[in-house]
Amino acid sequence: MKSFLDAVAARTAAPGGGAVAATSAASAAALVAMAARFADDEPTATTADELRAALLRLADADAAAYTAFLAARGEARKAALAAATEVPREIAAAATRVAELARELVANGNPRLLGDARVGELLAEAAAKAATVLVEINTS
């Protein structure tokens, strides 16, 4: 975690906002998985684990796509921008799904894990919104 945050804080273009949104959503998914397990809801926990793994892959993909965009020239730059826009779109979709799972646990999960489920929901919603903003910026 420290090395990732150090890389974000460095004077480099990537990892940046997309990777941070993805890792935030992955953290939310971890909270959802924990809350689901305490609610004896293994299907939700498994889904959250799968989303967490996907979001971590997307964090790496976002950094790579943005780096490729910065390096691209001429006509290749348009294709690189499209790729750099698709990754945050996928992050937003996955984060939205994490938030949905969290909302279900807030409503019906183990009341002793309400705080964890709610934090997962809020983090996932913020990550989805952040990734959506990146898509909007890249497409404007």
Short mmCIF file of all heavy atoms in Angstrom, two decimals, residues 67-139:
data_model
loop_
_atom_site.label_atom_id
_atom_site.label_comp_id
_atom_site.label_asym_id
_atom_site.label_seq_id
_atom_site.Cartn_x
_atom_site.Cartn_y
_atom_site.Cartn_z
N THR A 67 -0.43 6.02 -19.44
CA THR A 67 0.96 6.15 -19.85
C THR A 67 1.09 6.01 -21.36
O THR A 67 1.82 6.76 -22.02
CB THR A 67 1.83 5.11 -19.12
OG1 THR A 67 1.74 5.35 -17.70
CG2 THR A 67 3.28 5.18 -19.55
N ALA A 68 0.36 5.04 -21.93
CA ALA A 68 0.37 4.84 -23.39
C ALA A 68 -0.21 6.06 -24.11
O ALA A 68 0.30 6.48 -25.16
CB ALA A 68 -0.41 3.58 -23.76
N PHE A 69 -1.25 6.65 -23.54
CA PHE A 69 -1.84 7.85 -24.14
C PHE A 69 -0.82 8.99 -24.17
O PHE A 69 -0.67 9.67 -25.19
CB PHE A 69 -3.09 8.27 -23.37
CG PHE A 69 -3.55 9.66 -23.70
CD1 PHE A 69 -4.11 9.94 -24.94
CD2 PHE A 69 -3.42 10.68 -22.78
CE1 PHE A 69 -4.53 11.22 -25.25
CE2 PHE A 69 -3.83 11.97 -23.09
CZ PHE A 69 -4.39 12.24 -24.33
N LEU A 70 -0.13 9.17 -23.07
CA LEU A 70 0.86 10.26 -23.01
C LEU A 70 1.99 10.05 -24.01
O LEU A 70 2.53 11.02 -24.56
CB LEU A 70 1.42 10.38 -21.60
CG LEU A 70 0.44 10.88 -20.54
CD1 LEU A 70 1.10 10.86 -19.17
CD2 LEU A 70 -0.08 12.27 -20.86
N ALA A 71 2.34 8.80 -24.27
CA ALA A 71 3.44 8.49 -25.20
C ALA A 71 3.01 8.51 -26.66
O ALA A 71 3.85 8.63 -27.55
CB ALA A 71 4.02 7.13 -24.85
N ALA A 72 1.72 8.40 -26.91
CA ALA A 72 1.22 8.29 -28.29
C ALA A 72 1.31 9.63 -29.02
O ALA A 72 1.17 10.70 -28.42
CB ALA A 72 -0.22 7.79 -28.30
N ARG A 73 1.50 9.54 -30.32
CA ARG A 73 1.59 10.72 -31.18
C ARG A 73 0.71 10.49 -32.40
O ARG A 73 0.44 9.36 -32.80
CB ARG A 73 3.03 10.97 -31.64
CG ARG A 73 4.01 11.22 -30.50
CD ARG A 73 3.74 12.59 -29.85
NE ARG A 73 4.63 12.83 -28.74
CZ ARG A 73 4.27 12.73 -27.47
NH1 ARG A 73 3.07 12.38 -27.12
NH2 ARG A 73 5.14 12.99 -26.50
N GLY A 74 0.28 11.59 -33.00
CA GLY A 74 -0.47 11.52 -34.25
C GLY A 74 -1.80 10.78 -34.10
O GLY A 74 -2.49 10.91 -33.10
N GLU A 75 -2.12 9.98 -35.11
CA GLU A 75 -3.38 9.23 -35.12
C GLU A 75 -3.45 8.20 -33.99
O GLU A 75 -4.53 7.88 -33.52
CB GLU A 75 -3.59 8.54 -36.47
CG GLU A 75 -3.94 9.50 -37.60
CD GLU A 75 -5.23 10.26 -37.32
OE1 GLU A 75 -6.24 9.64 -36.94
OE2 GLU A 75 -5.21 11.50 -37.48
N ALA A 76 -2.31 7.70 -33.57
CA ALA A 76 -2.28 6.72 -32.48
C ALA A 76 -2.80 7.31 -31.18
O ALA A 76 -3.30 6.59 -30.31
CB ALA A 76 -0.87 6.18 -32.30
N ARG A 77 -2.70 8.62 -31.06
CA ARG A 77 -3.16 9.29 -29.83
C ARG A 77 -4.66 9.15 -29.63
O ARG A 77 -5.13 8.99 -28.51
CB ARG A 77 -2.73 10.75 -29.85
CG ARG A 77 -2.82 11.43 -28.51
CD ARG A 77 -1.94 12.67 -28.53
NE ARG A 77 -2.10 13.47 -27.35
CZ ARG A 77 -1.40 13.32 -26.23
NH1 ARG A 77 -0.49 12.39 -26.14
NH2 ARG A 77 -1.61 14.10 -25.20
N LYS A 78 -5.43 9.18 -30.73
CA LYS A 78 -6.89 9.02 -30.61
C LYS A 78 -7.25 7.63 -30.07
O LYS A 78 -8.10 7.49 -29.20
CB LYS A 78 -7.57 9.25 -31.95
CG LYS A 78 -7.58 10.69 -32.39
CD LYS A 78 -8.27 10.83 -33.74
CE LYS A 78 -8.15 12.25 -34.25
NZ LYS A 78 -8.73 12.39 -35.59
N ALA A 79 -6.59 6.63 -30.61
CA ALA A 79 -6.84 5.26 -30.16
C ALA A 79 -6.41 5.09 -28.70
O ALA A 79 -7.09 4.42 -27.91
CB ALA A 79 -6.12 4.25 -31.04
N ALA A 80 -5.31 5.70 -28.35
CA ALA A 80 -4.82 5.61 -26.97
C ALA A 80 -5.77 6.33 -26.02
O ALA A 80 -6.01 5.85 -24.90
CB ALA A 80 -3.41 6.20 -26.87
N LEU A 81 -6.35 7.43 -26.45
CA LEU A 81 -7.32 8.14 -25.62
C LEU A 81 -8.57 7.29 -25.43
O LEU A 81 -9.13 7.22 -24.33
CB LEU A 81 -7.68 9.50 -26.20
CG LEU A 81 -8.72 10.30 -25.41
CD1 LEU A 81 -8.23 10.56 -23.98
CD2 LEU A 81 -9.04 11.61 -26.11
N ALA A 82 -9.00 6.63 -26.48
CA ALA A 82 -10.17 5.75 -26.37
C ALA A 82 -9.91 4.64 -25.35
O ALA A 82 -10.76 4.33 -24.51
CB ALA A 82 -10.52 5.16 -27.73
N ALA A 83 -8.74 4.06 -25.40
CA ALA A 83 -8.38 3.02 -24.43
C ALA A 83 -8.30 3.59 -23.02
O ALA A 83 -8.76 2.97 -22.05
CB ALA A 83 -7.06 2.37 -24.82
N ALA A 84 -7.72 4.78 -22.90
CA ALA A 84 -7.59 5.42 -21.59
C ALA A 84 -8.95 5.85 -21.04
O ALA A 84 -9.08 6.08 -19.83
CB ALA A 84 -6.65 6.62 -21.68
N THR A 85 -9.94 5.96 -21.89
CA THR A 85 -11.29 6.31 -21.45
C THR A 85 -12.08 5.05 -21.07
O THR A 85 -12.90 5.08 -20.16
CB THR A 85 -12.03 7.09 -22.55
OG1 THR A 85 -11.27 8.27 -22.83
CG2 THR A 85 -13.42 7.48 -22.14
N GLU A 86 -11.83 3.96 -21.76
CA GLU A 86 -12.57 2.72 -21.50
C GLU A 86 -12.27 2.16 -20.12
O GLU A 86 -13.17 1.65 -19.45
CB GLU A 86 -12.27 1.68 -22.58
CG GLU A 86 -13.11 0.45 -22.48
CD GLU A 86 -14.61 0.71 -22.47
OE1 GLU A 86 -15.09 1.65 -23.12
OE2 GLU A 86 -15.33 -0.06 -21.78
N VAL A 87 -11.05 2.26 -19.66
CA VAL A 87 -10.70 1.69 -18.36
C VAL A 87 -11.48 2.37 -17.23
O VAL A 87 -12.10 1.68 -16.42
CB VAL A 87 -9.18 1.71 -18.12
CG1 VAL A 87 -8.85 1.18 -16.73
CG2 VAL A 87 -8.46 0.88 -19.17
N PRO A 88 -11.52 3.70 -17.14
CA PRO A 88 -12.31 4.30 -16.08
C PRO A 88 -13.81 3.99 -16.21
O PRO A 88 -14.53 3.90 -15.21
CB PRO A 88 -12.05 5.80 -16.17
CG PRO A 88 -11.06 6.01 -17.22
CD PRO A 88 -10.71 4.71 -17.84
N ARG A 89 -14.27 3.77 -17.43
CA ARG A 89 -15.67 3.37 -17.62
C ARG A 89 -15.91 2.02 -16.94
O ARG A 89 -16.93 1.82 -16.27
CB ARG A 89 -15.96 3.29 -19.12
CG ARG A 89 -17.39 3.40 -19.50
CD ARG A 89 -17.59 3.32 -21.01
NE ARG A 89 -16.77 4.24 -21.79
CZ ARG A 89 -17.16 5.41 -22.28
NH1 ARG A 89 -18.37 5.83 -22.08
NH2 ARG A 89 -16.35 6.15 -22.97
N GLU A 90 -14.96 1.11 -17.10
CA GLU A 90 -15.06 -0.21 -16.46
C GLU A 90 -14.93 -0.09 -14.94
O GLU A 90 -15.61 -0.81 -14.20
CB GLU A 90 -14.00 -1.14 -17.01
CG GLU A 90 -14.22 -1.54 -18.46
CD GLU A 90 -13.11 -2.42 -19.00
OE1 GLU A 90 -12.53 -3.21 -18.22
OE2 GLU A 90 -12.81 -2.32 -20.21
N ILE A 91 -14.08 0.80 -14.49
CA ILE A 91 -13.94 1.04 -13.05
C ILE A 91 -15.26 1.54 -12.48
O ILE A 91 -15.72 1.05 -11.44
CB ILE A 91 -12.80 2.04 -12.76
CG1 ILE A 91 -11.45 1.44 -13.13
CG2 ILE A 91 -12.81 2.48 -11.29
CD1 ILE A 91 -10.31 2.44 -13.18
N ALA A 92 -15.89 2.48 -13.17
CA ALA A 92 -17.17 3.02 -12.70
C ALA A 92 -18.22 1.93 -12.61
O ALA A 92 -18.98 1.86 -11.63
CB ALA A 92 -17.64 4.15 -13.61
N ALA A 93 -18.28 1.06 -13.60
CA ALA A 93 -19.27 -0.01 -13.60
C ALA A 93 -19.03 -0.99 -12.44
O ALA A 93 -19.97 -1.38 -11.74
CB ALA A 93 -19.25 -0.75 -14.93
N ALA A 94 -17.79 -1.37 -12.24
CA ALA A 94 -17.47 -2.30 -11.15
C ALA A 94 -17.73 -1.67 -9.80
O ALA A 94 -18.27 -2.31 -8.89
CB ALA A 94 -16.03 -2.78 -11.28
N ALA A 95 -17.34 -0.41 -9.64
CA ALA A 95 -17.56 0.28 -8.37
C ALA A 95 -19.06 0.43 -8.09
O ALA A 95 -19.49 0.29 -6.93
CB ALA A 95 -16.89 1.66 -8.40
N THR A 96 -19.84 0.69 -9.11
CA THR A 96 -21.29 0.78 -8.94
C THR A 96 -21.85 -0.55 -8.44
O THR A 96 -22.72 -0.58 -7.56
CB THR A 96 -21.96 1.20 -10.26
OG1 THR A 96 -21.48 2.50 -10.61
CG2 THR A 96 -23.47 1.22 -10.15
N ARG A 97 -21.36 -1.63 -8.98
CA ARG A 97 -21.81 -2.96 -8.54
C ARG A 97 -21.42 -3.21 -7.08
O ARG A 97 -22.21 -3.75 -6.30
CB ARG A 97 -21.22 -4.04 -9.45
CG ARG A 97 -21.66 -5.42 -9.11
CD ARG A 97 -23.16 -5.64 -9.41
NE ARG A 97 -23.53 -6.98 -9.03
CZ ARG A 97 -24.44 -7.28 -8.10
NH1 ARG A 97 -25.10 -6.32 -7.48
NH2 ARG A 97 -24.69 -8.53 -7.79
N VAL A 98 -20.23 -2.79 -6.68
CA VAL A 98 -19.81 -2.91 -5.28
C VAL A 98 -20.76 -2.12 -4.38
O VAL A 98 -21.20 -2.61 -3.33
CB VAL A 98 -18.35 -2.46 -5.08
CG1 VAL A 98 -17.99 -2.40 -3.60
CG2 VAL A 98 -17.39 -3.37 -5.83
N ALA A 99 -21.10 -0.91 -4.79
CA ALA A 99 -22.02 -0.08 -4.00
C ALA A 99 -23.38 -0.75 -3.86
O ALA A 99 -24.00 -0.70 -2.79
CB ALA A 99 -22.16 1.31 -4.64
N GLU A 100 -23.85 -1.37 -4.92
CA GLU A 100 -25.14 -2.08 -4.87
C GLU A 100 -25.09 -3.22 -3.85
O GLU A 100 -26.03 -3.39 -3.06
CB GLU A 100 -25.50 -2.63 -6.25
CG GLU A 100 -25.84 -1.56 -7.25
CD GLU A 100 -25.87 -2.08 -8.69
OE1 GLU A 100 -25.53 -3.27 -8.93
OE2 GLU A 100 -26.24 -1.29 -9.57
N LEU A 101 -24.02 -3.99 -3.88
CA LEU A 101 -23.87 -5.08 -2.91
C LEU A 101 -23.83 -4.53 -1.48
O LEU A 101 -24.45 -5.09 -0.57
CB LEU A 101 -22.59 -5.87 -3.19
CG LEU A 101 -22.53 -6.65 -4.50
CD1 LEU A 101 -21.14 -7.25 -4.69
CD2 LEU A 101 -23.60 -7.74 -4.55
N ALA A 102 -23.10 -3.43 -1.31
CA ALA A 102 -22.99 -2.82 0.02
C ALA A 102 -24.35 -2.34 0.51
O ALA A 102 -24.70 -2.55 1.68
CB ALA A 102 -21.99 -1.67 -0.02
N ARG A 103 -25.12 -1.70 -0.37
CA ARG A 103 -26.45 -1.22 0.02
C ARG A 103 -27.33 -2.36 0.52
O ARG A 103 -28.07 -2.21 1.49
CB ARG A 103 -27.13 -0.51 -1.15
CG ARG A 103 -26.83 0.97 -1.21
CD ARG A 103 -27.74 1.70 -2.19
NE ARG A 103 -27.42 1.40 -3.57
CZ ARG A 103 -26.38 1.90 -4.23
NH1 ARG A 103 -25.55 2.72 -3.62
NH2 ARG A 103 -26.18 1.58 -5.48
N GLU A 104 -27.24 -3.50 -0.14
CA GLU A 104 -28.02 -4.66 0.29
C GLU A 104 -27.59 -5.12 1.68
O GLU A 104 -28.43 -5.47 2.52
CB GLU A 104 -27.84 -5.80 -0.73
CG GLU A 104 -28.64 -7.01 -0.43
CD GLU A 104 -30.15 -6.81 -0.43
OE1 GLU A 104 -30.65 -5.95 -1.18
OE2 GLU A 104 -30.83 -7.53 0.32
N LEU A 105 -26.30 -5.08 1.95
CA LEU A 105 -25.81 -5.46 3.28
C LEU A 105 -26.17 -4.42 4.33
O LEU A 105 -26.43 -4.78 5.48
CB LEU A 105 -24.31 -5.68 3.24
CG LEU A 105 -23.88 -6.95 2.49
CD1 LEU A 105 -22.39 -6.93 2.22
CD2 LEU A 105 -24.28 -8.20 3.26
N VAL A 106 -26.18 -3.16 3.96
CA VAL A 106 -26.61 -2.12 4.90
C VAL A 106 -28.05 -2.39 5.32
O VAL A 106 -28.40 -2.30 6.50
CB VAL A 106 -26.46 -0.71 4.27
CG1 VAL A 106 -27.19 0.34 5.09
CG2 VAL A 106 -24.98 -0.35 4.14
N ALA A 107 -28.87 -2.77 4.36
CA ALA A 107 -30.30 -2.99 4.64
C ALA A 107 -30.56 -4.33 5.33
O ALA A 107 -31.42 -4.41 6.22
CB ALA A 107 -31.09 -2.92 3.34
N ASN A 108 -29.82 -5.37 4.94
CA ASN A 108 -30.19 -6.72 5.38
C ASN A 108 -29.06 -7.53 6.00
O ASN A 108 -29.27 -8.71 6.32
CB ASN A 108 -30.75 -7.51 4.19
CG ASN A 108 -31.96 -6.84 3.60
OD1 ASN A 108 -32.89 -6.50 4.30
ND2 ASN A 108 -31.93 -6.62 2.29
N GLY A 109 -27.89 -6.94 6.14
CA GLY A 109 -26.75 -7.69 6.65
C GLY A 109 -26.71 -7.75 8.16
O GLY A 109 -27.65 -7.37 8.86
N ASN A 110 -25.59 -8.21 8.67
CA ASN A 110 -25.36 -8.30 10.10
C ASN A 110 -25.28 -6.88 10.66
O ASN A 110 -24.42 -6.09 10.25
CB ASN A 110 -24.05 -9.05 10.36
CG ASN A 110 -23.77 -9.28 11.81
OD1 ASN A 110 -24.07 -8.45 12.65
ND2 ASN A 110 -23.14 -10.40 12.11
N PRO A 111 -26.16 -6.53 11.61
CA PRO A 111 -26.17 -5.15 12.13
C PRO A 111 -24.85 -4.75 12.78
O PRO A 111 -24.53 -3.56 12.84
CB PRO A 111 -27.31 -5.13 13.14
CG PRO A 111 -27.88 -6.49 13.17
CD PRO A 111 -27.19 -7.35 12.18
N ARG A 112 -24.08 -5.72 13.24
CA ARG A 112 -22.79 -5.38 13.88
C ARG A 112 -21.75 -4.94 12.85
O ARG A 112 -20.73 -4.38 13.21
CB ARG A 112 -22.26 -6.58 14.66
CG ARG A 112 -23.12 -6.85 15.87
CD ARG A 112 -22.51 -7.90 16.74
NE ARG A 112 -23.31 -8.02 17.95
CZ ARG A 112 -23.38 -9.09 18.68
NH1 ARG A 112 -22.68 -10.15 18.34
NH2 ARG A 112 -24.12 -9.12 19.76
N LEU A 113 -22.02 -5.20 11.57
CA LEU A 113 -21.11 -4.81 10.49
C LEU A 113 -21.70 -3.67 9.67
O LEU A 113 -21.22 -3.37 8.58
CB LEU A 113 -20.81 -6.00 9.58
CG LEU A 113 -19.73 -6.99 10.05
CD1 LEU A 113 -18.37 -6.43 9.92
CD2 LEU A 113 -19.99 -7.62 11.37
N LEU A 114 -22.71 -3.01 10.20
CA LEU A 114 -23.37 -1.92 9.49
C LEU A 114 -22.37 -0.83 9.10
O LEU A 114 -22.37 -0.34 7.97
CB LEU A 114 -24.50 -1.32 10.34
CG LEU A 114 -25.20 -0.09 9.76
CD1 LEU A 114 -25.91 -0.45 8.46
CD2 LEU A 114 -26.17 0.48 10.77
N GLY A 115 -21.49 -0.47 10.01
CA GLY A 115 -20.51 0.58 9.72
C GLY A 115 -19.59 0.19 8.58
O GLY A 115 -19.31 1.01 7.69
N ASP A 116 -19.13 -1.05 8.57
CA ASP A 116 -18.24 -1.51 7.50
C ASP A 116 -18.97 -1.54 6.16
O ASP A 116 -18.42 -1.11 5.14
CB ASP A 116 -17.68 -2.89 7.83
CG ASP A 116 -16.78 -2.85 9.05
OD1 ASP A 116 -15.78 -2.11 9.02
OD2 ASP A 116 -17.09 -3.55 10.03
N ALA A 117 -20.21 -2.02 6.19
CA ALA A 117 -20.99 -2.07 4.94
C ALA A 117 -21.26 -0.66 4.43
O ALA A 117 -21.15 -0.39 3.23
CB ALA A 117 -22.30 -2.82 5.16
N ARG A 118 -21.56 0.25 5.33
CA ARG A 118 -21.85 1.64 4.93
C ARG A 118 -20.60 2.32 4.39
O ARG A 118 -20.66 3.04 3.39
CB ARG A 118 -22.42 2.40 6.12
CG ARG A 118 -22.88 3.79 5.80
CD ARG A 118 -24.16 3.80 4.96
NE ARG A 118 -24.61 5.18 4.85
CZ ARG A 118 -24.61 5.86 3.72
NH1 ARG A 118 -24.22 5.30 2.59
NH2 ARG A 118 -25.01 7.11 3.69
N VAL A 119 -19.45 2.10 5.03
CA VAL A 119 -18.20 2.68 4.52
C VAL A 119 -17.90 2.10 3.14
O VAL A 119 -17.50 2.82 2.23
CB VAL A 119 -17.03 2.44 5.50
CG1 VAL A 119 -15.69 2.76 4.85
CG2 VAL A 119 -17.22 3.28 6.76
N GLY A 120 -18.11 0.80 2.97
CA GLY A 120 -17.94 0.19 1.65
C GLY A 120 -18.84 0.83 0.61
O GLY A 120 -18.40 1.12 -0.51
N GLU A 121 -20.08 1.08 0.99
CA GLU A 121 -21.02 1.73 0.07
C GLU A 121 -20.54 3.12 -0.31
O GLU A 121 -20.52 3.48 -1.50
CB GLU A 121 -22.40 1.81 0.73
CG GLU A 121 -23.45 2.48 -0.11
CD GLU A 121 -24.77 2.67 0.62
OE1 GLU A 121 -24.83 2.52 1.86
OE2 GLU A 121 -25.75 2.97 -0.07
N LEU A 122 -20.15 3.91 0.67
CA LEU A 122 -19.71 5.29 0.40
C LEU A 122 -18.44 5.33 -0.44
O LEU A 122 -18.33 6.14 -1.37
CB LEU A 122 -19.51 6.05 1.71
CG LEU A 122 -20.79 6.32 2.50
CD1 LEU A 122 -20.43 6.84 3.89
CD2 LEU A 122 -21.68 7.30 1.76
N LEU A 123 -17.48 4.47 -0.12
CA LEU A 123 -16.24 4.43 -0.90
C LEU A 123 -16.52 4.01 -2.35
O LEU A 123 -15.96 4.60 -3.28
CB LEU A 123 -15.24 3.44 -0.29
CG LEU A 123 -14.45 3.90 0.91
CD1 LEU A 123 -13.62 2.74 1.45
CD2 LEU A 123 -13.55 5.06 0.54
N ALA A 124 -17.36 3.02 -2.51
CA ALA A 124 -17.67 2.54 -3.87
C ALA A 124 -18.40 3.61 -4.66
O ALA A 124 -18.12 3.83 -5.84
CB ALA A 124 -18.48 1.25 -3.80
N GLU A 125 -19.34 4.29 -4.03
CA GLU A 125 -20.06 5.37 -4.72
C GLU A 125 -19.10 6.49 -5.13
O GLU A 125 -19.18 7.00 -6.25
CB GLU A 125 -21.16 5.94 -3.82
CG GLU A 125 -22.34 5.02 -3.65
CD GLU A 125 -23.35 5.52 -2.63
OE1 GLU A 125 -23.05 6.50 -1.88
OE2 GLU A 125 -24.44 4.94 -2.56
N ALA A 126 -18.19 6.86 -4.24
CA ALA A 126 -17.22 7.91 -4.55
C ALA A 126 -16.30 7.47 -5.68
O ALA A 126 -16.00 8.26 -6.60
CB ALA A 126 -16.41 8.28 -3.31
N ALA A 127 -15.88 6.22 -5.65
CA ALA A 127 -15.00 5.71 -6.71
C ALA A 127 -15.72 5.70 -8.05
O ALA A 127 -15.13 6.07 -9.08
CB ALA A 127 -14.51 4.30 -6.36
N ALA A 128 -16.98 5.30 -8.07
CA ALA A 128 -17.75 5.29 -9.31
C ALA A 128 -17.90 6.71 -9.85
O ALA A 128 -17.74 6.95 -11.05
CB ALA A 128 -19.13 4.66 -9.08
N LYS A 129 -18.18 7.64 -8.98
CA LYS A 129 -18.33 9.04 -9.39
C LYS A 129 -17.00 9.58 -9.93
O LYS A 129 -16.96 10.26 -10.96
CB LYS A 129 -18.83 9.89 -8.23
CG LYS A 129 -19.16 11.30 -8.60
CD LYS A 129 -19.80 12.03 -7.43
CE LYS A 129 -20.27 13.40 -7.86
NZ LYS A 129 -20.99 14.08 -6.78
N ALA A 130 -15.91 9.29 -9.25
CA ALA A 130 -14.59 9.75 -9.67
C ALA A 130 -14.24 9.19 -11.05
O ALA A 130 -13.76 9.92 -11.92
CB ALA A 130 -13.53 9.35 -8.64
N ALA A 131 -14.47 7.91 -11.26
CA ALA A 131 -14.16 7.29 -12.55
C ALA A 131 -15.03 7.88 -13.65
O ALA A 131 -14.56 8.11 -14.77
CB ALA A 131 -14.33 5.78 -12.46
N THR A 132 -16.28 8.17 -13.33
CA THR A 132 -17.19 8.78 -14.31
C THR A 132 -16.70 10.17 -14.70
O THR A 132 -16.75 10.55 -15.87
CB THR A 132 -18.62 8.84 -13.74
OG1 THR A 132 -19.05 7.49 -13.48
CG2 THR A 132 -19.57 9.51 -14.69
N VAL A 133 -16.20 10.92 -13.75
CA VAL A 133 -15.65 12.24 -14.04
C VAL A 133 -14.46 12.12 -14.99
O VAL A 133 -14.32 12.92 -15.93
CB VAL A 133 -15.26 12.97 -12.74
CG1 VAL A 133 -14.36 14.17 -13.00
CG2 VAL A 133 -16.50 13.39 -11.97
N LEU A 134 -13.63 11.11 -14.78
CA LEU A 134 -12.48 10.92 -15.69
C LEU A 134 -12.95 10.61 -17.12
O LEU A 134 -12.38 11.11 -18.08
CB LEU A 134 -11.58 9.81 -15.17
CG LEU A 134 -10.86 10.14 -13.85
CD1 LEU A 134 -10.15 8.90 -13.33
CD2 LEU A 134 -9.92 11.30 -14.03
N VAL A 135 -13.99 9.80 -17.23
CA VAL A 135 -14.55 9.51 -18.55
C VAL A 135 -15.05 10.79 -19.19
O VAL A 135 -14.78 11.07 -20.37
CB VAL A 135 -15.68 8.46 -18.46
CG1 VAL A 135 -16.42 8.33 -19.79
CG2 VAL A 135 -15.12 7.12 -18.03
N GLU A 136 -15.78 11.59 -18.42
CA GLU A 136 -16.31 12.86 -18.95
C GLU A 136 -15.18 13.79 -19.39
O GLU A 136 -15.27 14.43 -20.45
CB GLU A 136 -17.18 13.54 -17.89
CG GLU A 136 -18.48 12.79 -17.63
CD GLU A 136 -19.22 13.29 -16.39
OE1 GLU A 136 -18.70 14.19 -15.66
OE2 GLU A 136 -20.32 12.77 -16.14
N ILE A 137 -14.13 13.88 -18.62
CA ILE A 137 -13.00 14.74 -18.98
C ILE A 137 -12.34 14.22 -20.26
O ILE A 137 -12.02 15.00 -21.16
CB ILE A 137 -11.98 14.81 -17.82
CG1 ILE A 137 -12.57 15.62 -16.67
CG2 ILE A 137 -10.66 15.39 -18.29
CD1 ILE A 137 -11.78 15.52 -15.37
N ASN A 138 -12.15 12.91 -20.35
CA ASN A 138 -11.50 12.33 -21.52
C ASN A 138 -12.34 12.43 -22.79
O ASN A 138 -11.78 12.40 -23.89
CB ASN A 138 -11.13 10.86 -21.27
CG ASN A 138 -9.99 10.70 -20.30
OD1 ASN A 138 -9.30 11.66 -19.98
ND2 ASN A 138 -9.81 9.51 -19.83
N THR A 139 -13.63 12.54 -22.65
CA THR A 139 -14.50 12.60 -23.83
C THR A 139 -14.94 14.02 -24.18
O THR A 139 -15.64 14.20 -25.16
CB THR A 139 -15.74 11.70 -23.66
OG1 THR A 139 -16.46 12.10 -22.49
CG2 THR A 139 -15.35 10.24 -23.56
#
